[in-house]
Amino acid sequence: MSGAPDIIIQEVCPRDGLQIEPVIVSTERKIGLIDRLSELGFRRIEAGSFVSPRAVPALADGDAVFRSIVRRQGVTFVALIPNRRGAERAIAAGADELNFVMSASETHNRANMGMDHEGSLSALAEVTATTGGRIHINATLATAFGCPFEGEQDEGKVLRLIEAYLRRGAQSITLADTTGMANPKLVRQRVKSVLGLVPRDELTLHFHNTRGLGLVNVMAGFDAGALRFDASLGGLGGCPFAPGASGNVCTEDLVNLCEDIGLNTGLDLPGLIALSRELPSIVGHAAPGQVAKAGRACDLHPAPLRITLAD
Ligand code: COA
Ligand code: ZN
């Protein structure tokens, strides 16, 4: 399909997908995966993170990855960062955009980032002060729909933290459902409120399929006015510092759904399915996504062979 996409899907497999894998994928294979992804029509790929290598050993080679991937016109390569050190490393390696992360839940933020809200917000202020407008800064609010330690997250707190992000120079916002605690009703409510603070072109929703609600949450968010969604090839992913974490919404499952209901994604679904089918050889286990196993509904199986026995 050509023309402007109706929905923007940002691929996060190279970051969220690989950060929780027990095997450390080699730098060359990461580069190969990102280069293949960037041929499939994505405008945005989160290609790695620049965090403490002790916290996330699987992504310790972000510098080498960003330096070696093929830059394709129109593709923004995003780097996740927790602090100024991460921002400096990411910029030196050639990232096009920074994705700063803090959790709505202070308990999860301490587990994930070793900081309270004040610590993370000062880190963001430092990042915007040092980068001085040289690079776009997105800020993600993790556990924005619920936290495995604290449970429900109050909407007033979520909105206050987004305002705090915007005051410190964040130019766009992601609401992340780190351990799949959102549901369509909550998503509709939260998206409507957040769209009062953030324009729809600058809001991304990031869902995990931990309780099987990933795709319905995307559709609820889209119906409520959101346009941009994160997804991960094969449905890999999860936060290593959140108990019970599991994979993101699966990219090819989401693209398949969009195609079935007539939403243009600008992505090459057969190419995504083919690449997803290679994931087991990269991570050493089957991926949770479903369309790569079943194929598209329009890929009809040949009719069973009728065998006529000679009499
Ligand atoms: N890149 C590389 N190294 C970094 C770094 C960065 N962005 N920020 C800090 N470090 C190093 C420090 O230099 C220090 O190294 P040392 O022990 O060799 O001296 C070590 O990491 C610890 O840093 P410190 O400032 O003492 O804080 P900490 O141990 O509380 O860790 C974070 C804080 C934020 C660096 C760490 O919790 C982290 O990287 N979290 C990210 C988790 C993540 O990626 N989760 C999934 C995505 S949301
Ligand atoms: Zn995630």
Side-chain angles (χ1 to χ4, degrees):
M1 261 192 269
S2 57
D6 301 311
I7 178 168
I8 310 280
I9 299 176
Q10 168 171 242
E11 176 57 48
V12 299
C13 182
R15 195 279 298 171
D16 207 326
L18 298 185
Q19 72 184 5
I20 197 169
E21 287 299 325
V23 290
I24 297 195
V25 175
S26 72
T27 307
E28 289 65 34
R29 292 194 105 173
K30 283 178 187 149
I31 295 164
L33 175 65
I34 296 165
D35 287 347
R36 298 269 303 279
L37 285 166
S38 73
E39 288 167 1
L40 296 175
F42 292 104
R43 295 172 171 211
R44 308 175 52 79
I45 300 176
E46 192 166 59
S49 67
F50 292 84
V51 303
S52 157
R54 253 191 285 156
V56 184
L59 299 184
D61 56 354
D63 312 74
V65 169
F66 271 81
R67 284 203 172 94
S68 309
I69 51 180
V70 174
R71 300 310 169 114
R72 206 167 287 279
Q73 215 190 349
V75 185
T76 296
F77 292 98
V78 180
L80 182 146
I81 57 150
N83 54 20
R84 185 174 73 177
R85 170 102 180 266
E88 285 166 352
R89 284 178 58 208
I91 290 171
D96 299 313
E97 180 174 320
L98 304 178
N99 180 23
F100 177 88
V101 178
M102 174 183 80
S103 302
S105 149
E106 208 155 40
T107 316
H108 181 256
N109 203 53
R110 282 205 193 88
N112 194 33
M113 297 295 181
M115 289 179 264
D116 58 13
H117 283 154
E118 209 186 310
S120 276
L121 289 172
S122 345
L124 174 61
E126 261 182 50
V127 168
T128 46
T130 28
T131 55
R134 271 182 297 151
I135 188 164
H136 184 100
I137 298 173
N138 182 75
T140 290
L141 194 61
T143 67
F145 299 89
C147 164
F149 303 112
E150 292 184 2
E152 282 178 26
Q153 296 296 298
D154 174 65
E155 179 154 301
K157 174 173 78 168
V158 167
L159 297 178
R160 278 194 300 282
L161 292 172
I162 291 171
E163 283 170 335
Y165 271 166
L166 298 172
R167 274 200 304 278
R168 285 162 184 77
Q171 293 155 288
S172 55
I173 299 290
T174 298
L175 291 183
D177 183 23
T178 309
T179 56
M181 293 173 72
N183 62 63
K185 191 174 168 195
L186 179 62
V187 170
R188 271 192 290 271
Q189 214 172 290
R190 209 139 276 191
V191 167
K192 278 190 188 141
S193 309
V194 172
L195 285 176
L197 298 175
V198 182
R200 72 191 299 231
D201 290 339
E202 285 158 21
L203 175 67
T204 301
L205 301 180
H206 174 109
F207 294 116
H208 282 261
N209 198 35
T210 317
R211 293 176 176 81
L213 297 181
L215 289 182
V216 286
N217 287 333
V218 171
M219 284 299 112
F222 186 77
D223 289 342
L227 269 184
R228 290 165 42 154
F229 297 87
D230 285 350
S232 173
L233 192 75
L236 297 181
C239 173
F241 303 97
S246 63
N248 291 77
V249 162
C250 169
T251 307
E252 63 274 18
D253 291 5
L254 174 55
V255 175
N256 178 68
L257 164 61
C258 291
E259 289 200 357
D260 279 358
I261 62 173
L263 291 179
N264 180 18
T265 62
L267 296 168
D268 169 0
L269 181 54
L272 284 166
I273 292 174
L275 186 55
S276 179
R277 287 176 177 161
E278 293 178 32
L279 285 176
S281 71
I282 298 176
V283 295
H285 60 82
Q290 293 180 286
V291 172
K293 295 178 191 115
R296 300 176 301 175
C298 61
D299 295 333
L300 298 179
H301 286 281
L305 259 187
R306 210 177 298 151
I307 300 170
T308 317
L309 290 178
D311 50 18

